[in-house]
Amino acid sequence: MSSPSPVYWDPFARDIARDPYPVYQRLRAEAPLYYNDRHDFYAVSRAADVDAALADWKTFSSSRGPILEIIKAGIEIPPGTLLMEDPPAHDLHRALLARVFTPRRISSLEPQIRALCTRSLDRLAGAGSFDFMTEFANEVPMRVIGMLLGIPETDQEAIRDRSDENLRTEPGQQMKVGTVIGSTDLFGEYIDWRVEHPSDDLMTELLRAEFEDEHGVTRTLTRQEILTYVSVVAGAGNETTARLLGWLGSLLARHPGQRAELAADPALIPNAIEEALRLEPTGHAVARYVAADVDLYGTTVPAGSAMMILVASANRDEERWQDPDRFDIHRTVSALRTFGYGLHYCLGAALARLEARVALEEFLSRFPRWDVDWDKLSLSSTSTVRGWATLPVTVG
């Protein structure tokens, strides 16, 4: 009997992306420190190692970016790009943006988010079938982020499409790094307009914000810094939340009994969202630049390496979760790593949860049952975010 071939994981391989979880299971068991010689990166997959790496920013640095292709390109990162900074600059810039994402401000958005969901669903009245992604999941986050940023409604779809396009890859190919780093020009005209026409939105707040920078100078943000902030918020809040809604749509179609429980008792929805975030996270891995030699499992990972931290694997680690591949809306979910851990814990996590809760409440109230055409759905082609590009449903 021949021995099985060594485990192989590649973030750009579309055949693996269709169902990466068996590969993650093998990585945890057979190669807890994995090295991919084709793309020259290391990876950790066990929950304890994921936590340790995310917490140790001095060794596993964000200063070269959180995406493998960006780290490998070795390009200069614009200041204010929170996902691509270490302390002290990270702490300074994060504190500025945290002013916008206060719990009070996020909770105050619920009526507006509900109105956006209602409007999207009103258009589907009488429709027997539609694409859940195009008609609903992609629509709601786009409108919410547009509302937060102060982008006119007539322009929101074009901004979303251009922003999302920057993340798309050809199947099996790497991301074009220049499109990600150089995408801040999308928002230039809106920033300039807000200088003369202030409003109650994120752009205006950033234009007015005074802070003490790393040189001890009290000042306001430069135009380029504001552009960077806005592009970070737009990029992070659009694609990921849309994919979360898509996973809720497909998971609940596969588990109609649990879906019926949610329709009968909406109080169960928040925990169902946590379980969906655990089982099907939108981002499977975050990359870090190894700033100093580190010993793991008897191997020295040299400074200058790229490390992939597999949060999706940690979310299904048998050492942390009982029956980890089972979807259970009643599961007690803690130590979830979908939104990160430590310094870079997602600032928009509360907003994503709020959007998902309101969207699912409203969708279930209109359509308590739906079926998916499993032969026609397709995954989005990107190396950074995993989710449905299309999710055709029939409601009844």
Side-chain angles (χ1 to χ4, degrees):
M1 181 177 179
S2 61
S3 58
S5 58
V7 61
Y8 180 78
W9 179 69
D10 183 337
F12 312 113
R14 304 313 297 163
D15 57 332
I16 295 175
R18 290 188 190 97
D19 182 13
Y21 298 106
V23 177
Y24 296 157
Q25 186 177 38
R26 287 192 63 192
L27 287 174
R28 293 192 300 271
E30 302 168 28
L33 176 66
Y34 171 75
Y35 178 68
N36 182 301
D37 57 1
R38 179 180 178 186
H39 299 296
D40 185 27
F41 68 81
Y42 292 85
V44 289
S45 51
R46 291 178 177 172
D49 296 328
V50 165
D51 286 0
L54 290 175
D56 184 5
W57 62 266
K58 291 182 179 179
T59 303
F60 301 101
S61 170
S62 298
S63 63
R64 304 290 183 93
I67 297 172
L68 181 62
E69 297 95 310
I70 294 176
I71 292 176
K72 288 296 185 181
I75 60 179
E76 184 176 349
I77 307 298
T81 312
L82 296 180
L83 300 175
M84 308 182 190
E85 291 182 325
D86 292 326
H90 166 271
D91 297 349
L92 182 71
H93 295 138
R94 183 183 176 95
L96 269 174
L97 205 53
R99 298 180 190 180
V100 178
F101 287 95
T102 62
R104 176 179 293 182
R105 183 163 193 163
I106 296 304
S107 63
S108 73
L109 296 173
E110 180 168 343
Q112 293 146 288
I113 294 172
R114 198 171 297 279
L116 291 172
C117 291
T118 299
R119 192 174 69 184
S120 292
L121 292 169
D122 283 345
R123 296 200 314 264
L124 300 174
S129 60
F130 50 87
D131 182 358
F132 184 92
M133 299 307 300
T134 302
E135 301 298 334
F136 188 63
N138 293 342
E139 180 83 6
V140 173
M142 170 191 72
R143 300 298 182 196
V144 172
I145 291 298
M147 176 181 67
L148 269 178
L149 294 177
I151 295 172
E153 193 165 313
T154 52
D155 296 344
Q156 288 172 1
E157 188 170 347
I159 289 289
R160 178 203 62 195
D161 290 347
R162 288 180 64 189
S163 181
D164 288 355
E165 183 63 27
N166 291 332
L167 298 175
R168 295 286 177 270
T169 60
E170 293 297 321
Q173 300 300 309
Q174 299 187 20
M175 177 188 297
K176 295 178 181 178
V177 173
T179 63
V180 178
I181 301 299
S183 63
T184 59
D185 63 324
L186 293 176
F187 305 99
E189 62 183 280
Y190 305 111
I191 294 289
D192 295 339
W193 170 260
R194 280 288 172 251
V195 171
E196 301 297 331
H197 305 85
S199 183
D200 181 24
D201 56 37
L202 171 61
M203 291 191 193
T204 302
E205 192 149 339
L206 291 175
L207 283 164
R208 291 173 172 171
E210 283 194 354
F211 69 105
E212 185 177 306
D213 68 16
E214 57 267 40
H215 307 295
V217 177
T218 299
R219 63 178 179 87
T220 56
L221 291 164
T222 66
R223 181 178 184 274
Q224 183 56 50
E225 286 171 332
I226 295 171
L227 283 170
T228 301
Y229 272 104
V230 169
S231 66
V232 167
V233 172
N238 235 324
E239 174 98 349
T240 53
T241 306
R243 301 296 165 242
L244 167 58
L245 296 180
W247 285 119
L248 286 165
S250 62
L251 283 169
L252 294 176
R254 289 191 187 276
H255 299 87
Q258 296 188 65
R259 180 179 63 193
E261 287 188 73
L262 298 181
D265 184 5
L268 297 173
I269 286 176
N271 201 69
I273 291 167
E274 296 303 295
E275 175 68 343
L277 285 164
R278 181 194 70 83
L279 194 75
E280 292 288 8
T282 55
H284 274 220
V286 293
R288 293 288 188 263
Y289 176 78
V290 181
D293 289 0
V294 59
D295 292 325
L296 293 169
Y297 296 97
T299 298
T300 298
V301 178
S305 301
M307 177 66 74
M308 296 292 277
I309 303 171
L310 296 177
V311 294
S313 175
N315 280 354
R316 296 199 188 197
D317 189 336
E318 302 84 352
E319 294 297 314
R320 181 165 288 177
W321 308 94
Q322 185 176 3
D323 198 4
D325 296 322
R326 179 171 58 89
F327 179 66
D328 179 5
I329 63 171
H330 299 289
R331 183 191 299 271
T332 299
V333 181
S334 61
L336 184 70
R337 295 299 174 247
T338 300
F339 291 116
Y341 180 64
L343 289 174
H344 287 279
Y345 185 82
C346 177
L347 267 174
L351 178 60
R353 286 178 164 118
L354 174 62
E355 288 183 64
R357 175 176 64 80
V358 173
L360 191 51
E361 287 172 357
E362 293 299 320
F363 195 85
L364 280 168
S365 71
R366 305 280 189 105
F367 307 114
R369 294 175 299 279
W370 63 90
D371 295 312
V372 170
D373 187 341
W374 300 107
D375 294 329
K376 293 184 179 178
L377 53 71
S378 62
L379 277 176
S380 176
S381 182
T382 161
S383 62
T384 56
V385 179
R386 182 173 179 269
W388 302 118
T390 59
L391 183 64
V393 298
T394 301
V395 296

